[in-house]
Coordinates of all heavy atoms in Angstrom, one line a residue:
M274 N -30.5 94.9 7.9 CA -30.1 94.8 6.5 C -28.6 94.7 6.5 O -27.9 95.5 7.2 CB -30.6 96.0 5.8 CG -30.2 96.1 4.4 SD -30.9 97.4 3.5 CE -29.5 98.4 3.1
N275 N -28.0 93.8 5.8 CA -26.6 93.7 5.6 C -26.1 94.6 4.5 O -26.6 94.5 3.4 CB -26.2 92.3 5.3 CG -26.2 91.4 6.5 OD1 -26.2 91.9 7.7 ND2 -26.2 90.1 6.3
I276 N -25.2 95.4 4.9 CA -24.6 96.3 3.8 C -23.3 95.6 3.4 O -22.4 95.4 4.2 CB -24.3 97.7 4.4 CG1 -25.6 98.3 4.8 CG2 -23.6 98.6 3.3 CD1 -25.4 99.6 5.5
P277 N -23.2 95.2 2.1 CA -22.0 94.5 1.7 C -20.7 95.4 1.8 O -20.8 96.6 1.5 CB -22.3 94.1 0.3 CG -23.5 94.9 -0.1 CD -24.2 95.4 1.1
C278 N -19.7 94.8 2.2 CA -18.4 95.5 2.2 C -17.8 95.6 0.8 O -17.7 94.6 0.1 CB -17.4 94.7 3.1 SG -15.7 95.3 3.0
R279 N -17.5 96.8 0.4 CA -17.0 96.9 -1.0 C -15.7 96.2 -1.2 O -15.5 95.7 -2.3 CB -16.9 98.4 -1.3 CG -18.2 99.1 -1.4 CD -18.0 100.6 -1.8 NE -17.5 100.6 -3.1 CZ -16.9 101.7 -3.6 NH1 -16.9 102.8 -2.9 NH2 -16.5 101.7 -4.8
I280 N -14.9 96.2 -0.2 CA -13.6 95.5 -0.3 C -13.8 94.0 -0.5 O -13.3 93.3 -1.4 CB -12.7 95.8 0.9 CG1 -12.3 97.3 0.9 CG2 -11.4 94.9 0.8 CD1 -11.6 97.7 2.1
C281 N -14.7 93.4 0.4 CA -15.0 92.0 0.2 C -15.6 91.7 -1.1 O -15.3 90.7 -1.7 CB -16.0 91.5 1.3 SG -15.3 91.7 3.0
M282 N -16.5 92.5 -1.6 CA -17.1 92.3 -2.9 C -16.0 92.2 -4.0 O -16.0 91.4 -4.9 CB -18.1 93.4 -3.2 CG -19.4 93.3 -2.4 SD -20.4 94.7 -2.6 CE -20.9 94.6 -4.3
E283 N -15.1 93.1 -3.8 CA -14.0 93.2 -4.8 C -13.2 91.9 -4.8 O -12.9 91.3 -5.8 CB -13.1 94.3 -4.5 CG -11.9 94.5 -5.5 CD -11.0 95.6 -5.1 OE1 -11.2 96.2 -4.0 OE2 -10.0 95.8 -5.8
F284 N -13.0 91.4 -3.5 CA -12.2 90.1 -3.4 C -13.0 88.9 -3.9 O -12.4 88.0 -4.5 CB -11.8 89.9 -1.9 CG -10.8 90.9 -1.4 CD1 -10.6 91.1 -0.1 CD2 -10.0 91.6 -2.3 CE1 -9.6 92.0 0.4 CE2 -9.0 92.5 -1.9 CZ -8.8 92.7 -0.5
E285 N -14.3 89.0 -3.7 CA -15.1 87.8 -4.1 C -15.1 87.8 -5.7 O -15.2 86.7 -6.3 CB -16.5 88.0 -3.6 CG -16.7 87.6 -2.2 CD -18.0 87.9 -1.6 OE1 -18.9 88.3 -2.3 OE2 -18.1 87.9 -0.4
Q286 N -15.1 88.9 -6.3 CA -15.1 89.0 -7.7 C -13.8 88.5 -8.3 O -13.8 88.0 -9.4 CB -15.4 90.4 -8.2 CG -16.8 90.8 -8.0 CD -17.1 92.3 -8.2 OE1 -16.2 93.0 -8.7 NE2 -18.2 92.8 -7.8
D287 N -12.7 88.7 -7.6 CA -11.4 88.3 -8.2 C -10.5 88.0 -7.1 O -9.9 88.8 -6.4 CB -10.9 89.5 -9.0 CG -9.6 89.2 -9.7 OD1 -9.1 88.1 -9.6 OD2 -9.2 90.0 -10.5
G288 N -10.3 86.6 -6.8 CA -9.4 86.1 -5.8 C -8.0 86.6 -6.0 O -7.3 86.8 -5.0
D289 N -7.6 86.9 -7.2 CA -6.3 87.3 -7.5 C -6.0 88.7 -6.9 O -4.9 89.0 -6.5 CB -6.0 87.4 -9.0 CG -5.9 86.0 -9.6 OD1 -5.7 85.0 -8.8 OD2 -6.0 85.9 -10.8
V290 N -7.1 89.5 -6.8 CA -6.9 90.8 -6.2 C -6.5 90.7 -4.7 O -5.6 91.4 -4.2 CB -8.2 91.6 -6.3 CG1 -8.1 93.0 -5.5 CG2 -8.6 91.9 -7.7
L291 N -7.1 89.8 -4.0 CA -6.8 89.5 -2.6 C -5.4 89.0 -2.5 O -4.6 89.5 -1.7 CB -7.7 88.5 -2.0 CG -7.4 88.0 -0.6 CD1 -7.4 89.2 0.3 CD2 -8.5 87.0 -0.2
R292 N -5.0 88.1 -3.3 CA -3.6 87.6 -3.3 C -2.6 88.7 -3.5 O -1.6 88.8 -2.9 CB -3.4 86.4 -4.3 CG -2.0 85.9 -4.4 CD -2.0 84.6 -5.2 NE -2.4 83.5 -4.4 CZ -1.7 82.9 -3.4 NH1 -0.5 83.3 -3.2 NH2 -2.2 81.9 -2.7
T293 N -2.9 89.5 -4.5 CA -2.0 90.6 -4.8 C -1.9 91.6 -3.6 O -0.7 92.0 -3.2 CB -2.5 91.5 -6.0 OG1 -2.6 90.6 -7.1 CG2 -1.6 92.6 -6.4
H294 N -3.0 91.9 -2.9 CA -2.9 92.7 -1.7 C -2.1 92.1 -0.6 O -1.3 92.7 0.0 CB -4.3 93.0 -1.2 CG -5.1 94.1 -1.9 ND1 -4.9 95.4 -1.6 CD2 -5.9 94.0 -3.0 CE1 -5.7 96.1 -2.5 NE2 -6.3 95.3 -3.3
I295 N -2.3 90.8 -0.4 CA -1.6 90.1 0.6 C -0.1 90.0 0.3 O 0.8 90.3 1.2 CB -2.1 88.7 0.9 CG1 -3.5 88.7 1.5 CG2 -1.2 87.8 1.7 CD1 -4.2 87.4 1.6
E296 N 0.3 89.7 -0.9 CA 1.7 89.7 -1.3 C 2.3 91.0 -1.2 O 3.5 91.1 -0.7 CB 1.8 89.1 -2.7 CG 1.5 87.6 -2.8 CD 1.5 87.1 -4.2 OE1 1.5 87.9 -5.2 OE2 1.3 85.9 -4.3
K297 N 1.6 92.1 -1.5 CA 2.1 93.4 -1.4 C 2.4 93.7 0.1 O 3.4 94.3 0.5 CB 1.1 94.4 -1.9 CG 1.6 95.8 -2.2 CD 0.5 96.6 -3.0 CE 0.8 98.0 -3.0 NZ -0.3 98.8 -3.7
Y298 N 1.5 93.3 1.0 CA 1.6 93.5 2.4 C 2.8 92.8 2.9 O 3.7 93.3 3.7 CB 0.4 93.1 3.2 CG 0.6 93.1 4.7 CD1 0.7 94.3 5.4 CD2 0.7 91.9 5.4 CE1 1.0 94.3 6.7 CE2 1.0 91.9 6.7 CZ 1.1 93.1 7.4 OH 1.3 93.1 8.7
L299 N 3.0 91.5 2.5 CA 4.1 90.7 3.0 C 5.4 91.3 2.6 O 6.4 91.3 3.4 CB 4.0 89.3 2.4 CG 2.8 88.4 2.9 CD1 2.9 87.0 2.3 CD2 2.9 88.3 4.4
R300 N 5.5 92.0 1.5 CA 6.7 92.7 1.0 C 7.1 93.9 1.9 O 8.2 94.3 1.9 CB 6.6 93.1 -0.4 CG 6.8 91.9 -1.4 CD 7.1 92.4 -2.8 NE 6.0 93.1 -3.4 CZ 4.9 92.6 -4.1 NH1 4.9 91.2 -4.2 NH2 4.0 93.3 -4.5
T301 N 6.1 94.4 2.6 CA 6.4 95.5 3.5 C 7.0 95.1 4.8 O 7.5 96.0 5.6 CB 5.1 96.3 3.9 OG1 4.3 95.5 4.7 CG2 4.3 96.8 2.6
L302 N 7.0 93.8 5.1 CA 7.6 93.4 6.4 C 9.1 93.3 6.3 O 9.7 93.0 5.3 CB 7.0 91.9 6.7 CG 5.5 91.8 6.9 CD1 5.1 90.3 7.1 CD2 5.0 92.6 8.1
S303 N 9.7 93.7 7.4 CA 11.2 93.7 7.4 C 11.6 92.3 7.7 O 10.9 91.4 8.2 CB 11.7 94.6 8.6 OG 11.3 94.0 9.8
E304 N 12.9 92.0 7.3 CA 13.5 90.7 7.5 C 13.5 90.3 9.0 O 13.3 89.1 9.4 CB 14.9 90.6 7.0 CG 15.0 90.7 5.5 CD 14.1 89.6 4.8 OE1 14.2 88.4 5.2 OE2 13.3 90.0 3.9
E305 N 13.6 91.3 9.9 CA 13.6 91.0 11.3 C 12.2 90.5 11.8 O 12.1 89.8 12.8 CB 13.9 92.3 12.1 CG 15.4 92.8 12.0 CD 15.7 93.4 10.6 OE1 14.8 94.1 10.1 OE2 16.8 93.2 10.1
E306 N 11.2 91.0 11.1 CA 9.8 90.5 11.5 C 9.5 89.1 11.0 O 8.6 88.5 11.6 CB 8.8 91.5 10.9 CG 8.7 92.9 11.5 CD 7.8 93.8 10.7 OE1 8.1 94.2 9.6 OE2 6.6 94.0 11.2
K307 N 10.2 88.7 10.0 CA 9.8 87.5 9.3 C 10.6 86.3 9.8 O 11.8 86.4 10.1 CB 10.0 87.6 7.8 CG 9.1 88.6 7.2 CD 9.1 88.5 5.7 CE 10.3 89.2 5.1 NZ 10.2 89.2 3.6
I308 N 9.9 85.1 9.9 CA 10.6 83.9 10.2 C 11.3 83.3 9.0 O 11.0 83.8 7.9 CB 9.5 82.9 10.7 CG1 10.1 81.8 11.5 CG2 8.7 82.4 9.6 CD1 9.1 81.0 12.4
D309 N 12.3 82.4 9.2 CA 13.0 81.9 8.1 C 12.1 81.1 7.2 O 11.1 80.6 7.6 CB 14.2 81.1 8.5 CG 13.8 79.8 9.3 OD1 13.6 79.9 10.5 OD2 13.6 78.8 8.6
E310 N 12.5 80.9 5.9 CA 11.6 80.3 4.9 C 11.2 78.9 5.3 O 10.0 78.5 5.1 CB 12.3 80.3 3.6 CG 11.4 80.0 2.4 CD 12.1 80.2 1.1 OE1 12.3 81.4 0.7 OE2 12.5 79.2 0.5
A311 N 12.2 78.1 5.8 CA 11.8 76.7 6.1 C 10.8 76.6 7.2 O 9.8 75.8 7.1 CB 13.1 75.9 6.5
S312 N 10.9 77.4 8.2 CA 10.0 77.4 9.3 C 8.6 77.9 8.8 O 7.6 77.5 9.3 CB 10.5 78.3 10.4 OG 11.7 77.8 10.9
Y313 N 8.6 78.9 7.9 CA 7.4 79.4 7.4 C 6.6 78.3 6.7 O 5.4 78.1 6.9 CB 7.7 80.6 6.4 CG 6.5 81.2 5.7 CD1 5.4 81.7 6.5 CD2 6.5 81.4 4.3 CE1 4.3 82.3 5.8 CE2 5.4 82.0 3.7 CZ 4.3 82.4 4.5 OH 3.3 83.0 3.8
F314 N 7.3 77.6 5.8 CA 6.6 76.6 5.1 C 6.2 75.4 6.0 O 5.2 74.8 5.8 CB 7.4 76.1 3.9 CG 7.4 77.1 2.8 CD1 8.6 77.7 2.4 CD2 6.3 77.5 2.1 CE1 8.6 78.7 1.4 CE2 6.2 78.5 1.1 CZ 7.4 79.1 0.8
N315 N 6.9 75.2 7.0 CA 6.5 74.2 8.0 C 5.3 74.6 8.7 O 4.3 73.8 8.9 CB 7.7 73.9 9.0 CG 7.3 72.8 10.0 OD1 6.9 71.7 9.6 ND2 7.3 73.1 11.3
R316 N 5.2 75.9 9.1 CA 4.0 76.4 9.7 C 2.8 76.2 8.8 O 1.7 75.7 9.2 CB 4.2 77.8 10.1 CG 5.1 78.1 11.3 CD 5.2 79.6 11.5 NE 5.9 79.9 12.8 CZ 5.9 81.0 13.4 NH1 5.4 82.1 12.8 NH2 6.5 81.2 14.5
L317 N 3.0 76.6 7.5 CA 1.9 76.5 6.6 C 1.4 75.1 6.4 O 0.2 74.8 6.2 CB 2.2 77.2 5.3 CG 2.4 78.7 5.3 CD1 2.8 79.2 4.0 CD2 1.2 79.4 5.8
S318 N 2.4 74.1 6.4 CA 2.0 72.7 6.2 C 1.2 72.2 7.4 O 0.3 71.4 7.2 CB 3.2 71.9 6.0 OG 3.9 71.7 7.1
L319 N 1.4 72.7 8.6 CA 0.6 72.4 9.7 C -0.8 73.0 9.6 O -1.8 72.3 10.0 CB 1.3 72.8 11.0 CG 2.6 72.1 11.3 CD1 3.4 72.8 12.4 CD2 2.4 70.6 11.7
C320 N -0.8 74.2 9.1 CA -2.1 74.8 8.9 C -3.0 74.1 7.9 O -4.2 73.9 8.1 CB -2.0 76.3 8.5 SG -1.4 77.4 9.8
E321 N -2.3 73.6 6.8 CA -3.0 72.9 5.8 C -3.7 71.6 6.3 O -4.7 71.2 5.8 CB -2.1 72.5 4.7 CG -1.7 73.6 3.7 CD -0.7 73.2 2.7 OE1 -0.3 72.1 2.6 OE2 -0.2 74.1 2.0
K322 N -3.1 71.1 7.4 CA -3.7 69.8 7.9 C -4.7 70.1 9.0 O -5.3 69.2 9.6 CB -2.6 69.0 8.5 CG -1.6 68.4 7.5 CD -0.6 67.6 8.2 CE 0.7 67.7 7.4 NZ 1.9 67.7 8.2
C323 N -4.9 71.4 9.4 CA -5.7 71.8 10.5 C -7.1 72.0 10.1 O -7.4 72.6 9.1 CB -5.1 73.0 11.1 SG -6.0 73.6 12.6
E324 N -8.0 71.5 11.0 CA -9.5 71.6 10.7 C -9.9 73.1 10.9 O -11.1 73.4 10.5 CB -10.3 70.7 11.6 CG -10.4 71.0 13.1 CD -9.1 70.7 13.9 OE1 -8.1 70.2 13.3 OE2 -9.2 70.9 15.1
A325 N -9.1 73.9 11.5 CA -9.5 75.3 11.7 C -9.3 76.2 10.5 O -9.7 77.3 10.5 CB -8.7 75.9 12.9
L326 N -8.6 75.6 9.5 CA -8.3 76.4 8.3 C -9.5 76.4 7.4 O -10.1 75.3 7.0 CB -7.1 75.8 7.6 CG -6.6 76.6 6.4 CD1 -6.1 78.0 6.8 CD2 -5.6 75.8 5.6
N327 N -10.0 77.6 7.0 CA -11.1 77.7 6.1 C -10.8 78.8 5.1 O -10.8 80.0 5.5 CB -12.4 78.0 6.9 CG -13.6 78.1 6.0 OD1 -13.6 77.6 4.9 ND2 -14.6 78.7 6.5
Q328 N -10.6 78.4 3.8 CA -10.4 79.4 2.8 C -9.2 80.3 3.1 O -9.3 81.5 2.9 CB -11.7 80.1 2.4 CG -12.8 79.2 1.9 CD -14.0 80.0 1.4 OE1 -14.2 81.1 1.8 NE2 -14.8 79.3 0.7
G329 N -8.2 79.7 3.7 CA -7.0 80.5 4.0 C -7.0 81.3 5.3 O -6.0 81.9 5.7
L330 N -8.2 81.2 6.0 CA -8.3 81.9 7.2 C -8.3 80.9 8.4 O -8.9 79.8 8.3 CB -9.6 82.7 7.3 CG -9.8 83.8 6.3 CD1 -11.3 84.3 6.3 CD2 -8.9 85.0 6.7
C331 N -7.7 81.3 9.5 CA -7.8 80.5 10.7 C -9.0 80.9 11.5 O -9.3 82.1 11.7 CB -6.6 80.8 11.6 SG -6.7 80.0 13.2
K332 N -9.9 79.9 11.9 CA -11.1 80.3 12.5 C -10.9 80.8 13.9 O -11.8 81.4 14.5 CB -12.1 79.1 12.5 CG -11.8 78.0 13.5 CD -13.0 77.0 13.5 CE -12.9 76.0 14.6 NZ -13.9 75.0 14.6
Y333 N -9.7 80.6 14.5 CA -9.5 81.0 15.9 C -9.0 82.4 16.0 O -9.3 83.1 17.0 CB -8.6 80.1 16.6 CG -9.2 78.7 16.8 CD1 -8.7 77.6 16.1 CD2 -10.3 78.5 17.6 CE1 -9.2 76.3 16.3 CE2 -10.9 77.3 17.7 CZ -10.4 76.2 17.1 OH -11.0 75.0 17.2
C334 N -8.3 82.9 15.0 CA -7.8 84.3 15.1 C -8.4 85.2 14.0 O -8.3 86.4 14.1 CB -6.3 84.3 15.1 SG -5.6 83.6 13.6
G335 N -8.9 84.5 12.9 CA -9.4 85.3 11.8 C -8.4 85.8 10.9 O -8.7 86.6 9.9
C336 N -7.1 85.4 11.1 CA -6.0 85.8 10.2 C -5.9 84.9 9.0 O -6.3 83.8 9.0 CB -4.7 85.7 10.9 SG -4.5 86.6 12.4
F337 N -5.4 85.6 7.9 CA -4.9 84.7 6.8 C -3.7 84.1 7.3 O -2.7 84.7 7.7 CB -4.6 85.6 5.6 CG -5.8 86.1 4.9 CD1 -6.3 87.4 5.0 CD2 -6.6 85.2 4.1 CE1 -7.4 87.8 4.3 CE2 -7.7 85.6 3.4 CZ -8.1 86.9 3.5
V338 N -3.6 82.7 7.2 CA -2.5 82.1 7.8 C -1.2 82.4 7.1 O -0.1 82.4 7.7 CB -2.7 80.5 7.9 CG1 -3.8 80.2 8.9 CG2 -2.9 79.9 6.6
I339 N -1.3 82.7 5.8 CA 0.0 83.0 5.0 C 0.6 84.3 5.6 O 1.8 84.6 5.4 CB -0.2 83.1 3.5 CG1 -1.2 84.2 3.1 CG2 -0.6 81.8 2.9 CD1 -1.2 84.4 1.6
V340 N -0.2 85.1 6.3 CA 0.3 86.4 6.9 C 0.7 86.1 8.3 O 1.8 86.4 8.7 CB -0.8 87.5 6.9 CG1 -0.3 88.7 7.7 CG2 -1.1 87.9 5.4
R341 N -0.1 85.4 9.1 CA 0.2 85.1 10.5 C 1.5 84.3 10.6 O 2.3 84.6 11.4 CB -1.0 84.4 11.2 CG -0.7 84.3 12.7 CD -1.9 83.6 13.4 NE -1.7 83.6 14.8 CZ -2.1 84.5 15.6 NH1 -2.8 85.6 15.2 NH2 -1.9 84.4 16.9
A342 N 1.6 83.2 9.8 CA 2.7 82.3 9.9 C 4.0 82.9 9.6 O 5.1 82.4 10.0 CB 2.4 81.1 9.0
I343 N 4.1 84.0 8.9 CA 5.4 84.5 8.5 C 6.0 85.4 9.6 O 7.2 85.7 9.6 CB 5.2 85.4 7.1 CG1 6.6 85.4 6.4 CG2 4.7 86.8 7.4 CD1 6.5 85.9 5.0
K344 N 5.1 85.8 10.5 CA 5.6 86.7 11.6 C 6.2 86.0 12.7 O 5.5 85.2 13.4 CB 4.4 87.6 12.0 CG 3.9 88.6 11.0 CD 2.8 89.4 11.5 CE 2.4 90.4 10.3 NZ 1.3 91.3 10.8
K345 N 7.5 86.3 12.9 CA 8.2 85.6 14.0 C 7.6 85.6 15.3 O 7.6 84.7 16.1 CB 9.6 86.2 14.0 CG 10.7 85.4 14.5 CD 12.0 86.2 14.6 CE 12.6 86.5 13.2 NZ 13.9 87.2 13.3
R346 N 7.0 86.8 15.7 CA 6.5 87.0 17.0 C 5.2 86.3 17.3 O 4.7 86.3 18.4 CB 6.4 88.5 17.3 CG 5.4 89.2 16.5 CD 5.3 90.7 16.7 NE 4.5 91.3 15.8 CZ 3.1 91.4 15.9 NH1 2.5 90.9 16.9 NH2 2.4 92.0 15.0
L347 N 4.5 85.8 16.2 CA 3.2 85.2 16.4 C 3.3 83.7 16.5 O 4.2 83.1 16.0 CB 2.3 85.6 15.3 CG 1.9 87.1 15.2 CD1 1.0 87.4 14.0 CD2 1.4 87.6 16.5
N348 N 2.3 83.1 17.1 CA 2.2 81.7 17.1 C 0.8 81.2 16.8 O -0.1 82.1 16.6 CB 2.7 81.1 18.4 CG 2.0 81.7 19.6 OD1 0.8 82.0 19.6 ND2 2.7 82.0 20.7
C349 N 0.6 80.0 16.8 CA -0.7 79.4 16.4 C -1.7 79.6 17.6 O -1.3 79.3 18.8 CB -0.5 77.9 16.1 SG -2.0 76.9 16.2
P350 N -2.9 80.0 17.4 CA -3.9 80.3 18.5 C -4.7 79.1 18.8 O -5.7 79.2 19.5 CB -4.7 81.4 17.9 CG -4.8 81.1 16.4 CD -3.5 80.5 16.1
Y351 N -4.3 77.9 18.4 CA -5.2 76.7 18.6 C -5.5 76.6 20.1 O -4.5 76.6 20.9 CB -4.5 75.4 18.1 CG -5.5 74.3 18.0 CD1 -6.4 74.2 16.9 CD2 -5.5 73.3 18.9 CE1 -7.2 73.1 16.8 CE2 -6.4 72.2 18.8 CZ -7.2 72.1 17.8 OH -8.1 71.1 17.6
P352 N -6.8 76.5 20.5 CA -7.1 76.6 21.9 C -6.6 75.5 22.8 O -6.4 75.7 24.0 CB -8.6 76.7 21.9 CG -9.1 76.3 20.6 CD -7.9 76.5 19.6
E353 N -6.4 74.3 22.2 CA -5.9 73.2 23.1 C -4.4 73.0 23.0 O -3.9 71.9 23.3 CB -6.6 71.9 22.6 CG -8.1 72.0 23.0 CD -9.0 71.0 22.2 OE1 -8.5 70.0 21.8 OE2 -10.1 71.4 22.0
G354 N -3.7 74.0 22.6 CA -2.3 74.0 22.5 C -1.8 74.4 21.1 O -2.3 73.8 20.1
K355 N -0.9 75.3 21.1 CA -0.5 75.8 19.8 C 0.2 74.7 19.0 O 0.9 73.9 19.5 CB 0.4 77.0 19.9 CG 1.6 76.8 20.8 CD 2.4 78.1 21.0 CE 3.5 77.9 22.0 NZ 4.1 79.1 22.5
R356 N -0.1 74.8 17.6 CA 0.5 73.8 16.7 C 1.8 74.2 16.1 O 2.5 73.4 15.5 CB -0.6 73.4 15.7 CG -1.8 72.7 16.4 CD -2.8 72.3 15.4 NE -3.7 71.3 16.0 CZ -4.8 70.9 15.5 NH1 -5.3 71.3 14.4 NH2 -5.5 70.0 16.2
W357 N 2.1 75.5 16.2 CA 3.4 76.0 15.9 C 3.7 77.3 16.6 O 2.8 77.8 17.2 CB 3.5 76.2 14.3 CG 2.4 77.0 13.6 CD1 1.4 76.4 12.9 CD2 2.2 78.4 13.6 NE1 0.6 77.4 12.4 CE2 1.1 78.6 12.8 CE3 2.9 79.5 14.1 CZ2 0.6 79.9 12.5 CZ3 2.4 80.8 13.8 CH2 1.3 81.0 13.1
Ligands
SF4_172 S1 -5.3 76.8 14.6 FE1 -3.1 77.1 14.2 S2 -2.6 75.4 12.8 FE2 -4.8 75.7 12.8 S3 -5.2 77.1 11.1 FE3 -5.1 78.3 12.9 S4 -2.9 78.9 12.9 FE4 -3.0 77.2 11.5

C-alpha cells in the first residue's frame, strides 16, 4: 500500500506552494555558493533543451534544476558527459 506523502500532496494541490518553498530556499544560499546570473540562466536554458528534464526535475539526479543549476560547486550529471 502506498502511503501518500503529505508534502507531495500539498505540492500537487498547489504548484505555487512548491515554487514559494524553492524560492525561499534559494534566498538562504550565500552569494559565494551561487553562480553568476548569466551562467545560471545559461545552465537553465541547456536544461530546458534536455530530454532528462521532467516537470522541473532532472531524471539523473532527482534535483529541481532551478536549485541545482544555481550552485557553483555542482554540475550537470548527464551520464554521457556533463552539459554544463
Ligand atoms: S542532465 Fe543536465 S542538462 Fe539535463 S536536465 Fe539534468 S542537469 Fe539539466
Side-chain angles (χ1 to χ4, degrees):
M274 181 173 115
N275 282 343
I276 299 172
C278 168
R279 292 184 61 195
I280 295 172
C281 295
M282 288 170 65
E283 180 184 4
F284 289 161
E285 284 170 12
Q286 287 170 10
D287 187 354
D289 288 343
V290 174
L291 176 58
R292 175 165 285 281
T293 301
H294 280 274
I295 291 174
E296 287 172 354
K297 195 171 170 185
Y298 171 71
L299 293 179
R300 284 196 296 274
T301 69
L302 299 174
S303 69
E304 290 307 310
E305 291 74 36
E306 291 174 282
K307 293 192 281 188
I308 199 163
D309 65 272
E310 192 173 286
S312 300
Y313 179 52
F314 288 116
N315 184 53
R316 286 178 169 190
L317 292 180
S318 72
L319 293 167
C320 289
E321 280 175 8
K322 294 178 211 143
C323 179
E324 72 281 4
L326 185 67
N327 182 19
Q328 296 187 341
L330 294 166
C331 172
K332 81 172 186 183
Y333 294 114
C334 62
C336 297
F337 283 106
V338 295
I339 61 170
V340 174
R341 187 178 183 92
I343 207 168
K344 294 182 178 179
K345 206 183 285 183
R346 67 183 171 81
L347 295 181
N348 53 40
C349 163
Y351 196 77
E353 291 158 31
K355 56 188 175 190
R356 293 182 163 169
W357 48 260

